[in-house]
Amino acid sequence: MTFLFSDIEGSTKLWERAPEAMRAALAAHDALLRRIVERHHGAVFKTVGDACYCAFGNPADALTAAVDGQRALHSAAWPDAIGEIRVRMGVHSGQCTQSAGDYFGPAVNRVARLAAVAYGEQILVSAATAALVRDVLSDAIALRNLGTSRLKDLSQPEPTYQVVAEGLRADFPPLASLDTRPNNLPSQISSFVGRQRELDELSALLAGSRLVTIAGPGGIGKTRLAVQLAAEVVELYDDGVWFFDLTGQRDAQFVAQTIAMTLGVGELPSEPIETTLTAFLRNKKTLLLIDNSEQVLAGVARLARMLLSHCPRLSIVTTSREPLHLAGETVYRVGPMSDDGTKLFVERARGAAPSQSFGEAQMGEISALCKKLEGIPLAIELACARLSSMPLKQLSRRLTSGLTLTSKDATESERHRTLRETIAWSYNLLSPDEKATLKALSVFRGGCTPDAIAYVADAIADVDGASSSLVDKSLLSFDDTGEDGRYRLLDIVRQYAQEQLDPTEAADAAQKHAAYYATLAAGSYAAIDNDLPNVRAALEWTIDRDGTAAARFVAVVAPYWRTRGLLTEARSWLSRTLQAVDPRGEDRGALLCLAASFASLQDELGEALRLAGEALTIYRVLGDAHGIAHASFRIAEAVHRQGHLDRAED
């Protein structure tokens, strides 16, 4: 189908200015568009407020209807209290599902986002429609290529076209797309479905509150909702919208460093990174989206309080299973999807099993199945993935009897226990290799490369095939935008898979994980950048078990910390490792010298002298001439920074 979506630009202000005149004008607007659409063999299948949703079997008819509609709207006589009505339009073609007079599918979502970035009197056309009509357009209608743009559905950028025809306005400002403001919002491989009420409410809350927390249980769709919200409001923030995923972060003290690294803010000597970050953001009109905050809640809360107190134009949105509990925080709790759940099911089901039918006849069964899943987006996604190997009726029967695993934690909500059952059900249908791969993947933080999972899961004959199968079953995602690509587990799936590891399996996987990242850390800094959460997890595991190995690991990562300006983090790891090694051995001497170096970089020269002095004592007892030289150099470095040049030279 080809869809034509339209709405009136600035309608809210028109309603406020002249409600009675606007009521009459809207009725005339609807009647005018309906006549033109039907004249061109289309149908208006829905009106929502001042928006008209139209469907056509022929894309050329849709385009001609849009042109005639704009001409008629421009020449119509509107009440003086309103003035001219300006309508924006979007046209897009794609596959869809029809049910109860409505349409579902990515094409419907796409055309809505296309119309949303247009201006009044402008007609935007997608690349899909442009390809279909290019050879059948009349000489009176042309398409102007506006270049690639990234719409607010967070899909990959693609060409967008503007209709040019006699009687239509031709010149408009740049499209109000994601490209208008700096941002790092992640592209999505699937469309955003439903949740329009939640988006509208969150947009209103964000307009009146500088700190909004989107709270809810795992798997409820907090992250996807928050990212879409950020896309919707991006043009309101002159200095950009920035996304930070804290899934792999376990230490609250490193929250500020994580955010600073993404923003390109380095540490300064004698200044906490929080202070440096505050100075950087102080006068910026910026939105920070901090995702998955629950495991470092205290660190996020402290940083949010500091930033919001000193940066008057800054706003923060967080997602978490619980609020930050800060003064001025607005908490928005996300619940299950109701009617939108069936839309999500139909859209995902069509992608998973295109040969099956998901039309009017199946809606009753789909609705009942979504009710069993309690409208939880992750549960729906996982259930739809099974349609690739079983029909809808069988899925419904299996779902009724297959969800047998219940959490033993009495404090968990019933809904969360149902989600756990859904994951357990999908897990029980996996092959032995798929189960083993999923369990191995659970030891990673923030995802991993194919090489990393192949190393950790080396006992699995076809780990690449098992990983690919897990992607197909929606238990694992694969991002191919980087050089090597990365696998990622949803956190709730990772937690469940980790629970399935027996102690021997867990120890073996963690040991291999630590060994892999100890080797990776000796490579390029870019490799550590991409896997910093994994490097941190590997360091933590090593420190708890092998002081000597931890000392070697820290020594390998130290140049990276220095180059990236992660001085506070370096000193924290060094302090922990010092407690794990022999108090009189050479490992401690080397660590003390490193710690003295980082203390000097932060101008804590007294501490640097203390650390290097202890190292010198150890090396003298050991009779280690090289160590004595190293410790003496660190002492000289600190003395030099104190300004005692002759003493430093001695």
Side-chain angles (χ1 to χ4, degrees):
M1 301 293 292
T2 296
F3 295 99
L4 163 61
F5 278 25
S6 74
D7 67 5
I8 298 174
E9 185 179 59
S11 61
T12 302
K13 292 182 179 179
L14 295 177
W15 278 104
E16 292 172 352
R17 184 197 309 165
E20 290 301 321
M22 189 60 184
R23 189 171 290 108
L26 183 59
H29 158 277
D30 290 353
L32 182 153
L33 284 182
R34 188 178 296 273
R35 284 197 304 272
I36 291 173
V37 167
E38 291 176 352
R39 185 192 310 153
H40 291 284
H41 316 294
V44 178
F45 64 89
K46 185 191 292 186
T47 58
V48 180
D50 62 329
C52 279
Y53 302 160
C54 316
F56 296 80
N58 186 321
D61 287 341
L63 220 59
T64 307
V67 171
D68 287 354
Q70 288 287 20
R71 288 170 175 162
L73 288 163
H74 181 70
S75 61
W78 303 107
D80 293 337
I82 293 175
E84 187 175 9
I85 281 183
R86 302 178 188 275
V87 174
R88 52 189 182 181
M89 296 181 177
V91 183
H92 174 59
S93 306
Q95 292 186 333
C96 61
T97 296
Q98 185 179 20
S99 176
D102 203 352
Y103 292 89
F104 305 93
V108 179
N109 303 317
R110 183 72 173 172
V111 70
R113 300 299 176 192
L114 187 63
V117 300
Y119 293 92
E121 301 183 292
Q122 188 177 36
I123 306 170
L124 294 182
V125 177
S126 71
T129 301
L132 292 171
V133 301
R134 187 169 285 115
D135 295 332
V136 296
L137 280 178
S138 68
D139 294 338
I141 299 176
L143 296 179
R144 176 184 295 167
N145 190 337
L146 301 182
T148 58
S149 59
R150 191 175 176 217
L151 301 185
K152 293 180 181 179
D153 57 3
L154 294 162
S155 58
Q156 293 292 331
E158 63 177 54
T160 303
Y161 299 83
Q162 177 187 314
V163 176
V164 179
E166 185 178 353
L168 299 189
R169 178 182 167 190
D171 296 324
F172 297 92
L175 298 182
S177 65
L178 286 178
D179 305 319
T180 60
R181 294 289 186 268
N183 72 87
N184 69 336
L185 295 177
S187 296
Q188 304 295 319
I189 60 174
S190 59
S191 60
F192 183 79
V193 180
R195 298 285 199 197
Q196 189 58 51
R197 175 183 59 82
E198 289 90 338
L199 280 174
D200 292 342
E201 292 173 351
L202 281 165
S203 296
L205 290 174
L206 192 55
S209 174
R210 294 172 56 221
L211 175 60
V212 176
T213 294
I214 301 175
I220 206 67
K222 301 185 294 294
T223 297
R224 190 67 178 88
L225 178 61
V227 173
Q228 189 60 47
L229 169 67
E232 298 280 347
V233 301
V234 67
E235 70 272 7
L236 302 179
Y237 297 91
D238 297 341
D239 298 299
V241 173
W242 305 100
F243 173 78
F244 311 93
D245 182 4
L246 300 186
T247 302
Q249 185 62 265
R250 290 294 179 270
D251 195 327
Q253 69 173 317
F254 298 145
V255 170
Q257 277 90 345
T258 300
I259 291 175
M261 276 191 70
T262 301
L263 294 175
V265 178
E267 288 191 53
L268 298 176
S270 304
E271 183 172 277
I273 188 61
E274 292 84 356
T275 303
T276 311
L277 186 58
T278 300
F280 176 78
L281 293 170
R282 191 179 306 278
N283 297 312
K284 287 183 167 57
K285 177 71 171 174
T286 301
L287 174 66
L288 307 183
L289 172 50
I290 305 176
D291 189 39
N292 290 304
S293 302
E294 55 269 358
Q295 71 276 7
V296 285
L297 205 64
V300 173
R302 284 195 301 270
L303 183 63
R305 183 191 295 114
M306 182 175 184
L307 292 177
L308 292 171
S309 297
H310 296 89
C311 307
R313 304 176 72 208
L314 177 73
S315 296
I316 297 176
V317 171
T318 68
T319 72
S320 176
R321 295 179 191 177
E322 60 179 300
L324 302 181
H325 302 292
L326 290 180
E329 176 186 22
T330 299
V331 179
Y332 187 89
R333 297 193 179 276
V334 183
M337 302 179 85
S338 52
D339 293 341
D340 287 340
T342 59
K343 295 180 181 178
L344 177 64
F345 189 99
V346 169
E347 182 162 325
R348 299 297 188 258
R350 289 192 76 256
S355 61
Q356 292 192 45
S357 177
F358 302 103
E360 190 76 45
Q362 289 75 35
M363 287 307 295
E365 194 154 26
I366 290 172
S367 179
L369 199 152
C370 288
K371 188 174 181 180
K372 294 173 189 174
L373 297 172
E374 297 186 272
I376 300 172
L378 177 56
I380 292 171
E381 298 260 6
L382 291 172
C384 285
R386 308 304 337 151
L387 291 168
S388 62
S389 58
M390 65 178 68
L392 178 63
K393 287 186 178 296
Q394 186 180 352
L395 171 69
S396 185
R397 288 197 305 271
R398 292 287 297 274
L399 193 61
T400 302
S401 59
L403 302 180
T404 57
L405 183 64
T406 302
S407 171
K408 297 178 181 178
D409 185 354
T411 65
E412 277 190 354
S413 67
E414 182 177 349
R415 186 179 301 122
H416 202 175
R417 289 199 297 273
T418 301
L419 177 59
R420 188 183 296 277
E421 290 176 5
T422 303
I423 298 170
W425 174 71
S426 289
Y427 177 83
N428 290 333
L429 291 176
L430 298 177
S431 70
D433 277 0
E434 288 168 348
K435 288 181 179 179
T437 302
L438 191 67
K439 288 191 289 184
L441 282 159
S442 72
V443 303
F444 293 92
R445 300 292 183 270
C448 67
T449 63
D451 285 345
I453 183 58
Y455 184 92
V456 172
D458 60 347
I460 301 171
D462 185 14
V463 67
D464 288 338
S467 299
S468 178
S469 182
L470 289 171
V471 172
D472 290 341
K473 293 177 170 64
S474 295
L475 285 167
L476 181 66
S477 63
F478 183 70
D479 179 5
D480 62 357
T481 56
E483 184 177 340
D484 298 319
R486 291 184 72 79
Y487 290 116
R488 295 185 185 276
L489 280 176
L490 289 168
D491 195 51
I492 190 66
V493 177
R494 186 193 63 79
Q495 291 175 28
Y496 178 83
Q498 199 165 45
E499 293 171 3
Q500 310 313 305
L501 287 165
D502 64 42
T504 301
E505 289 175 323
D508 180 63
Q511 187 276 326
K512 290 175 179 174
H513 175 273
Y516 181 86
Y517 287 103
T519 302
L520 177 138
S524 71
Y525 294 162
I528 304 178
D529 282 339
N530 293 333
D531 269 302
L532 191 54
N534 280 310
V535 171
R536 287 168 173 162
L539 257 177
E540 190 156 0
W541 186 89
T542 306
I543 289 171
D544 290 343
R545 288 159 181 82
D546 187 341
T548 299
R552 291 197 297 268
F553 201 159
V554 165
V556 166
V557 185
Y560 169 84
W561 287 324
R562 189 188 304 268
T563 303
R564 292 293 188 258
L566 300 175
L567 310 182
T568 302
E569 176 170 355
R571 295 180 68 188
S572 174
W573 287 115
L574 283 162
S575 176
R576 292 175 61 179
T577 310
L578 280 166
Q579 298 174 35
V581 297
D582 182 348
R584 294 175 297 277
E586 63 178 354
D587 286 338
R588 182 171 180 82
L591 289 170
L592 286 166
C593 287
L594 265 179
S597 172
F598 280 101
S600 290
L601 287 172
Q602 291 194 312
D603 286 341
E604 294 189 22
L605 304 178
E607 177 66 0
L609 288 170
R610 184 191 69 78
L611 293 164
E614 183 183 344
L616 183 61
T617 300
I618 290 173
Y619 282 130
R620 281 175 173 165
V621 170
L622 293 173
D624 184 339
H626 184 274
I628 291 170
H630 190 187
S632 299
F633 174 79
R634 292 305 173 196
I635 292 172
E637 183 180 55
V639 171
H640 182 275
R641 291 176 76 98
Q642 286 179 329
H644 306 302
L645 308 188
D646 290 342
R647 193 171 140 219
E649 183 174 337
D650 290 341

